[in-house]
Amino acid sequence: MTLYEAGNQTTSTTLAYFIAEMVRHPEIQSKLLSEIDEKWSEISPESSSEEIAEAVKEMKYLDCCVKETLRKNPPVGFVMRELQSNLLLGKYRIPKGTSIIVSQQALHHHPGHWDSPEKFDPDRFS
């Protein structure tokens, strides 16, 4: 039951952030709607689930918008991992088997990894 709830909550959180980003960025929303209109014009009420899934897969800008939403607003703030081998991190030696916490929020907003990390820019994934 916990797994179901966690999966459900992360999906609803991502959708809420996605909608908020579209509201904040009408120019991106407009570009996305153009792509959806173009691809959706190929779909009819008789279309199979496979045809609909294929049309969605072809929506490349939609994919970029979802990826950017997840980057800018990760639904999970951090993850725990157990080191599978020894790690040298700067001047620190961390032994195999140590549990570490990785902050997705910090990583996804680090200016050393992303240009303008606070900017919502789906094109960074194109």
Side-chain angles (χ1 to χ4, degrees), residues 64-101:
C64 293
C65 289
V66 171
K67 287 178 180 176
E68 180 65 348
T69 298
L70 289 167
R71 182 205 64 82
K72 188 167 181 272
N73 309 287
V76 177
F78 65 90
V79 293
M80 284 190 74
R81 295 290 184 259
E82 184 176 300
L83 292 179
Q84 300 300 305
S85 60
N86 294 330
L87 174 68
L88 181 61
L89 186 62
K91 62 182 180 178
Y92 301 100
R93 294 185 191 281
I94 307 171
K96 173 183 176 178
T98 301
S99 293
I100 61 169
I101 296 174

Side-chain angles (χ1 to χ4, degrees), residues 14-34:
T14 299
L15 285 171
Y17 281 128
F18 179 86
I19 292 167
E21 293 294 354
M22 291 302 107
V23 169
R24 287 187 196 112
H25 304 283
E27 71 287 355
I28 293 171
Q29 182 185 120
S30 178
K31 183 176 176 180
L32 178 59
L33 288 174
S34 293

Side-chain angles (χ1 to χ4, degrees), residues 4-22:
Y4 171 77
E5 290 175 14
N8 188 0
Q9 185 167 358
T10 55
T11 301
S12 62
T13 299
T14 299
L15 285 171
Y17 281 128
F18 179 86
I19 292 167
E21 293 294 354
M22 291 302 107

